[in-house]
């Protein structure tokens, strides 16, 4: 079946088999291998992408289900050739260690920051509750998200000053 | 996964016809998070998935003060957890929805799908020819039964996994079902079934039927509701045991209460006799009164701890109402 959707800001159309999962279509057909497959059953969150702004597990969504939707993967998070503030803060805060959970972590926290520019630590914890990290112990990730929120609020204050 | 046909019909009658077609095994599909898991584990292998997402008006929440709230079957779990009318007037349901799985799964999963999800029993999900899959025995009965039921079991000993179903049972919701061209409404307390009625399904839905809406009547003045879930991990886990209560508590007196229990039985457990223990009782007598409930439990070799947990949880939720 043919589906049409927006992928990282671009309109795309593709013929997909009914049994193809979103993650397989992203990795195999669009060669966007930043999205990782961990557990395949919706527990680890490594495959997280944003669908219409909401974090979803791309291993538990059929490609056919995203017809008409807007999908954002880690490849669409950077700004041109530059890393986004969130990505850079992940690096500077030591939130990237083995890196396997990173794309999913970034997309889950991006979904939060887009909806809530001033999250509390509890809200950050809740937003990444569906993403497992076996290296960091989560603290550095939470700090990176907090720092990003503070940076963007500082930017807003500078603009209005 | 084997290949299958994927259809998005635009009407309920088309859903009925498609799902009853002879020689084609069909499965209804909404968010798909449970159905895809079942297909990956080869527990079901339908020839056809019928996605309900193009059906009109099934993703709406409509609250009418004094009457109640209607929640479409396709409403996302995350939207239920964050809906102000549900948080304010049907608190137990918002709390239960907020406890479901992870943010990613709540963003995709629907209310209809949540109450129709299949059990998590590891024998059912694993490669065992168990009674729920048409086999001869329940492997949990003499096997690893730490998470299995303490009441209502036999010949299969699953627990029902849905958080929202427990809240909806306490809230006395009703389920609106499209059945081959006509609509019917079933109280949720009659929607779920026990293994003794049919060990291969968890509810009364028949092929050709689909849930369209869940309705919760407005609570009477003075009543409030709450949901508490105990799980082994802090996040993203199914219940070990859970409880939902709709109660009218003034000071230290419980005037009225309706309780529903999760993680204890093959369906959300509701028993008028349990309510009676607490109606017109004092908060200060909870310690003695909780010992009167679940005395008829059939405890298995590894789930005895659940009895103490469920009694303590009952104490905690009723105490919270008086605080």
């Amino acid at each position: 079946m043919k589906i049409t959707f927006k992928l990282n800001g671009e309109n795309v159309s593709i013929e997909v088999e009914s049994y193809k999962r979103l993650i397989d279509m992203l990795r195999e057909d669009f060669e966007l291998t930043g999205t990782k497959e961990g557990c395949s059953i919706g527990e680890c969150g490594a495959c997280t992408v944003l669908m219409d702004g909401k974090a979803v597990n791309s291993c538990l969504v059929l490609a056919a289900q995203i017809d008409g939707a807007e999908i954002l993967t880690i490849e669409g998070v950077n700004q041109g050739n530059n890393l986004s503030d969130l990505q850079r803060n992940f690096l500077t805060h030591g939130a990237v260690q083995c890196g396997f959970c990173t794309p999913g972590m970034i997309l889950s926290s991006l979904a939060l920051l887009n909806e809530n520019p001033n999250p509390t630590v509890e809200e950050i914890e809740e937003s990444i509750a569906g993403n497992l990290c076996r290296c960091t112990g989560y603290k550095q990730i939470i700090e990176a998200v907090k720092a990003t929120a503070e940076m963007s609020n500082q930017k807003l204050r500078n603009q209005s000053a | 996964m084997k290949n299958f046909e994927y259809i998005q019909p635009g009407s309920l009658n088309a859903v009925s016809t498609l799902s009853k077609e002879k020689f084609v095994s069909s499965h209804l599909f909404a968010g798909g998070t449970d159905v895809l898991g079942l297909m990956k584990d080869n527990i079901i292998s339908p020839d056809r998935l019928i996605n309900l997402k193009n059906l009109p008006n099934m993703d709406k929440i409509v609250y009418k003060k004094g009457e109640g709230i209607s929640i479409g079957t396709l409403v996302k779990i995350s939207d239920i957890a964050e809906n102000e009318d549900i948080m304010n007037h049907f608190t137990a349901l918002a709390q239960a929805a907020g406890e479901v799985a992870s943010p990613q799964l709540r963003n995709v999963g629907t209310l209809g799908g949540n109450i129709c999800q299949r059990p998590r029993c590891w024998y059912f999900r694993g490669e065992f020819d168990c009674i729920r899959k048409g086999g001869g025995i329940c492997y949990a009965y003499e096997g690893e039964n730490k998470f299995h039921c303490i009441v209502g079991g036999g010949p299969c000993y699953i627990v029902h996994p849905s958080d929202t179903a427990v809240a909806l049972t306490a809230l006395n919701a009703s389920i609106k079902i499209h059945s081959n061209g006509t609509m019917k409404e079933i109280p949720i307390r009659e929607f779920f079934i026990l293994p003794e009625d049919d060990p291969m399904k968890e509810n009364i839905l028949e092929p050709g039927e689909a849930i369209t809406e869940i309705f919760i009547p407005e609570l009477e003045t003075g009543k409030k509701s709450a949901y508490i879930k105990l799980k082994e991990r802090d996040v993203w886990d199914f219940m070990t045991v859970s409880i939902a209560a709709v109660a009218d508590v003034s000071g230290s007196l419980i005037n009225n209460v309706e309780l529903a229990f999760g993680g204890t039985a093959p369906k959300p457990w509701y028993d008028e006799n349990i309510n009676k223990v607490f109606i017109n009782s004092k908060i200060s007598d909870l310690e003695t009164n909780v010992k009167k409930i679940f005395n008829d439990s059939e405890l298995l070799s590894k789930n005895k701890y659940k009895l103490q947990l469920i009694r303590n949880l009952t104490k905690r939720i009723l105490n919270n109402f008086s605080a």
Side-chain angles (χ1 to χ4, degrees):
Chain A
M1 64 183 291
K2 192 178 176 181
I3 60 167
T4 303
F5 65 104
K6 203 174 235 187
L7 178 57
N8 296 332
E10 267 182 62
N11 291 314
V12 292
S13 279
I14 184 173
E15 192 70 35
V16 290
E17 296 91 349
S18 57
Y19 56 85
K20 191 156 227 166
R21 302 173 304 165
L22 174 56
I23 187 170
D24 298 328
M25 180 188 72
L26 292 171
R27 291 180 55 93
E28 292 164 11
D29 299 311
F30 290 96
E31 297 182 352
L32 297 176
T33 52
T35 305
K36 306 299 181 204
E37 178 159 21
C39 68
S40 323
I41 51 173
E43 285 183 4
C44 77
C47 68
T48 303
V49 300
L50 301 196
M51 176 171 168
D52 295 326
K54 306 270 189 194
V56 304
N57 295 316
S58 61
C59 76
L60 280 184
V61 172
L62 291 174
Q65 278 174 274
I66 64 148
D67 192 23
E70 201 167 313
I71 300 294
L72 182 73
T73 71
I74 190 66
E75 288 87 352
V77 173
N78 51 315
Q79 289 142 354
N81 284 329
N82 296 318
L83 295 179
S84 67
D85 287 344
L86 181 61
Q87 288 171 305
R88 190 166 299 108
N89 280 325
F90 262 66
L91 291 175
T92 55
H93 285 79
V96 180
Q97 290 185 22
C98 90
F100 197 81
C101 75
T102 311
M105 281 289 179
I106 291 199
L107 285 155
S108 283
S109 36
L110 186 63
L112 169 74
L113 292 173
N114 286 344
E115 277 188 13
N116 178 358
N118 254 322
T120 62
V121 169
E122 289 73 31
E123 286 166 335
I124 297 170
E125 286 173 354
E126 180 56 38
S127 76
I128 57 166
N131 295 77
L132 291 181
C133 171
R134 300 292 80 174
C135 308
T136 63
Y138 302 100
K139 191 165 181 287
Q140 297 89 328
I141 294 171
I142 293 161
E143 284 168 359
V145 179
K146 191 87 190 138
T148 309
E150 279 158 15
M151 273 171 80
S152 73
N153 288 325
Q154 188 60 45
K155 276 187 192 164
L156 284 176
R157 277 196 293 275
N158 291 347
Q159 278 167 15
S160 59
Chain B
M1 279 189 286
K2 70 163 197 180
N3 202 354
F4 51 82
E5 183 186 15
Y6 177 88
I7 307 186
Q8 301 188 145
S11 78
L12 282 161
N13 284 332
V15 171
S16 283
T17 315
L18 285 165
S19 52
K20 284 183 14 183
E21 198 176 310
K22 284 204 176 90
F23 311 117
V24 180
S25 65
S26 294
H27 207 287
L28 298 189
F29 187 95
T33 52
D34 190 40
V35 173
L36 291 176
L38 292 163
M39 289 169 67
K40 278 185 199 172
D41 289 341
N42 290 318
I43 295 162
I44 56 168
S45 41
D47 302 320
R48 171 185 287 164
L49 284 185
I50 304 172
N51 192 337
L52 305 176
K53 86 169 191 187
N54 282 357
L55 298 176
N57 297 321
M58 295 228 212
D59 56 354
K60 305 265 187 307
I61 301 177
V62 182
Y63 173 57
K64 286 191 186 140
K65 202 172 166 54
E67 286 180 35
I69 198 159
S70 148
I71 306 170
T73 191
L74 299 180
V75 173
K76 303 272 193 289
I77 299 298
S78 53
D79 291 330
I80 291 173
E82 290 161 16
N83 180 279
E84 295 223 342
D85 289 323
I86 299 178
M87 286 195 283
N88 292 335
H89 304 283
F90 308 94
T91 316
L93 180 61
Q95 290 171 334
E99 287 279 359
V100 172
S102 67
Q104 288 94 323
L105 293 171
R106 294 196 291 273
N107 284 336
V108 176
T110 62
L111 185 59
N114 190 266
I115 67 175
C116 291
Q117 65 182 302
R118 306 298 313 275
R120 303 305 308 181
C121 169
W122 36 47
Y123 297 105
F124 173 69
R125 296 269 167 177
E127 289 175 1
F128 292 86
D129 187 23
C130 78
I131 227 168
R132 193 154 292 269
K133 289 186 287 198
I137 65 163
C138 171
Y139 291 88
Y141 186 66
E142 289 188 332
E144 292 299 327
N145 48 37
K146 176 181 176 187
F147 293 118
H148 289 76
C149 69
I150 61 169
V151 280
C156 154
Y157 289 82
I158 58 151
V159 291
H160 197 273
S162 167
D163 291 298
T164 59
V166 177
L168 290 168
T169 298
L171 289 162
N172 199 16
S174 53
I175 312 283
K176 292 190 182 168
I177 297 167
H178 176 266
S179 178
N180 307 306
T182 57
M183 293 298 300
K184 59 181 181 184
E185 191 167 343
I186 307 286
I188 194 164
R189 293 170 188 174
E190 293 164 24
F191 177 73
F192 296 102
I193 60 172
L194 288 175
E196 63 191 31
D197 302 318
D198 184 344
M200 291 182 67
K201 50 193 269 193
E202 294 84 47
N203 59 57
I204 60 162
L205 285 180
E206 295 287 343
E209 296 186 331
I211 297 178
T212 60
E213 169 189 333
I214 289 99
F215 178 79
I216 315 173
E218 186 89 89
L219 302 192
E220 291 162 38
T221 319
K223 285 189 178 173
K224 287 182 187 160
S225 71
Y227 180 76
I228 306 180
K229 171 178 180 176
L230 290 186
K231 45 195 191 296
E232 285 202 328
R233 296 179 71 219
D234 238 9
V235 295
W236 190 178
D237 203 356
F238 290 91
M239 65 190 68
T240 304
V241 292
S242 74
I243 187 168
V246 175
D248 173 357
V249 178
S250 49
S252 61
L253 191 70
I254 302 164
N255 300 313
N256 208 326
V257 67
E258 288 168 282
L259 296 168
F261 300 89
T264 44
K267 64 178 187 180
W269 195 247
Y270 182 82
D271 178 352
E272 294 281 352
N273 290 323
I274 293 179
N275 297 339
K276 278 182 197 154
V277 170
F278 302 102
I279 292 172
N280 289 322
S281 77
K282 290 201 188 99
I283 292 284
S284 53
D285 292 336
L286 276 176
E287 188 71 49
T288 13
N289 283 338
V290 293
K291 296 201 177 84
K292 297 176 191 162
I293 64 172
F294 288 102
N295 279 321
D296 54 351
S297 302
E298 182 191 358
L299 301 175
L300 304 175
S301 56
K302 294 180 178 174
N303 71 4
K304 294 184 172 61
Y305 70 101
K306 281 194 177 187
L307 180 61
Q308 186 68 33
L309 275 188
I310 204 71
R311 286 174 172 169
N312 284 344
L313 209 50
T314 308
K315 217 160 51 179
R316 193 201 295 181
I317 203 166
L318 290 170
N319 259 322
N320 289 351
F321 278 103
S322 82

